Amino acid sequence: MDGNGRWAKQRGLKRTEGHAAGEHALFDTVEGALDIGLEWMTVYAFSTENWRRPVDEVRYLMNFNENLLLRRRDELHERGVRVRFIGRRGGRVPGRLRRQISDAEELTRRNRTMTLTFAFNYGGRAELVDAARAIGHEVAAGRLVPDKITDRTVARNLYAPDMPDPDLLVRTSGEFRISNYLLWELAYAELVFTDVLWPDFRREHLFEAIREYQRRERRFGAVDG
């Protein structure tokens, strides 16, 4: 979900105004996903690198995400959405926000219409480091032999081991990179890039990306029969 700052700058607004506008984009997109029956959606809400932004912007984003949960979690719950978060929960994430995250997850944990995952204080490299540490503890405890480590071993130690690998990645705002996002999980995902800045993104753009995905041929390293 990229382009909030540029959207605000084009309009002579503060960067935080772009983040606020991005909320409508997010929930219009979520509603569209629910309408067409998507069962899994993951959004990049705050990266491990975003701590480098100005202090005022980081503080705004922490408060914004807490307020978003307070305003929207009941609505999502009523729609049968399971809300989950992946990323590091400790460190500089405020305790009050961590509690709101846990409350939202607990409230919606039995829902199955769609799983909406927020990648928050998330980095793909950090996820792999944390998985490696968990595997190392298993080896040290004698529960795992190094020669038995496989890709499945790594996968079950990721933040959300039950989440299927994404079929489609949509990157907004004309950027052509994945920016440390789901590095393991995106191995065979189809990538769609759009020039639309995130605050202008709507369900129609999601549908357009899915139509592009449907036109592609996925072989997963194999050849046509």
Side-chain angles (χ1 to χ4, degrees), residues 121-156:
N121 195 24
Y122 174 87
R125 289 181 175 180
E127 181 176 28
L128 292 176
V129 167
D130 291 346
R133 287 173 177 167
I135 293 168
H137 289 316
E138 289 189 57
V139 171
R143 297 192 300 271
L144 181 65
V145 178
D147 288 347
K148 298 296 184 180
I149 295 173
T150 66
D151 58 346
R152 291 184 178 181
T153 311
V154 176
R156 66 178 170 81

Side-chain angles (χ1 to χ4, degrees), residues 19-63:
H19 297 309
E23 180 181 350
H24 182 66
L26 172 60
F27 282 92
D28 189 80
T29 303
V30 169
E31 288 291 337
L34 286 166
D35 287 346
I36 62 174
L38 286 189
E39 296 180 355
W40 294 82
M41 174 178 284
T42 304
V43 295
Y44 209 173
F46 190 88
S47 77
T48 50
E49 290 74 34
N50 286 157
W51 294 106
R52 302 172 188 167
R53 294 187 175 188
V55 173
D56 288 346
E57 183 175 355
V58 170
R59 185 181 299 115
Y60 174 88
L61 288 169
M62 293 298 113
N63 292 330

Side-chain angles (χ1 to χ4, degrees), residues 8-223:
K9 184 177 180 180
Q10 288 175 2
R11 290 158 176 77
L13 303 172
K14 295 180 180 179
R15 288 177 56 85
T16 52
E17 294 296 322
H19 297 309
E23 180 181 350
H24 182 66
L26 172 60
F27 282 92
D28 189 80
T29 303
V30 169
E31 288 291 337
L34 286 166
D35 287 346
I36 62 174
L38 286 189
E39 296 180 355
W40 294 82
M41 174 178 284
T42 304
V43 295
Y44 209 173
F46 190 88
S47 77
T48 50
E49 290 74 34
N50 286 157
W51 294 106
R52 302 172 188 167
R53 294 187 175 188
V55 173
D56 288 346
E57 183 175 355
V58 170
R59 185 181 299 115
Y60 174 88
L61 288 169
M62 293 298 113
N63 292 330
F64 175 76
N65 279 283
E66 180 182 355
N67 291 334
L68 184 148
L69 281 175
L70 288 169
R71 289 194 310 273
R72 299 284 192 165
R73 68 183 181 191
D74 289 339
E75 174 187 341
L76 291 169
H77 181 49
E78 290 172 3
R79 292 296 306 273
V81 176
R82 176 172 57 165
V83 176
R84 293 206 308 192
F85 285 76
I86 56 173
R88 290 176 169 173
R89 298 288 177 99
R92 288 176 283 183
V93 178
R96 190 170 64 181
L97 177 53
R98 292 200 297 269
R99 289 191 293 275
Q100 295 295 347
I101 287 171
S102 295
D103 289 347
E105 289 181 324
E106 177 61 25
L107 175 68
T108 64
R109 65 187 178 89
R110 292 188 178 88
N111 297 339
R112 291 296 182 271
T113 300
M114 183 174 77
T115 298
L116 175 61
T117 303
F118 292 89
F120 183 81
N121 195 24
Y122 174 87
R125 289 181 175 180
E127 181 176 28
L128 292 176
V129 167
D130 291 346
R133 287 173 177 167
I135 293 168
H137 289 316
E138 289 189 57
V139 171
R143 297 192 300 271
L144 181 65
V145 178
D147 288 347
K148 298 296 184 180
I149 295 173
T150 66
D151 58 346
R152 291 184 178 181
T153 311
V154 176
R156 66 178 170 81
N157 282 283
L158 299 177
Y159 293 143
D162 63 325
M163 182 173 75
D165 287 344
D167 295 304
L168 171 66
L169 167 74
V170 182
R171 176 71 189 257
T172 61
S173 82
E175 301 290 354
F176 293 89
R177 58 181 182 271
I178 58 174
S179 296
N180 197 22
Y181 186 49
L182 301 176
L183 296 180
W184 179 274
E185 297 90 336
L186 288 177
Y188 281 100
E190 295 294 323
L191 312 181
V192 171
F193 302 98
T194 174
D195 290 332
V196 177
L197 301 177
W198 177 250
D200 293 326
F201 197 89
R202 295 294 182 270
R203 68 186 72 191
E204 292 79 12
H205 299 105
L206 172 66
F207 301 159
E208 182 180 342
I210 292 173
R211 285 193 292 269
E212 170 61 27
Y213 163 82
Q214 290 172 329
R215 288 191 288 267
R216 298 186 185 179
E217 184 179 0
R218 306 182 76 199
R219 295 187 295 273
F220 299 96
V223 296

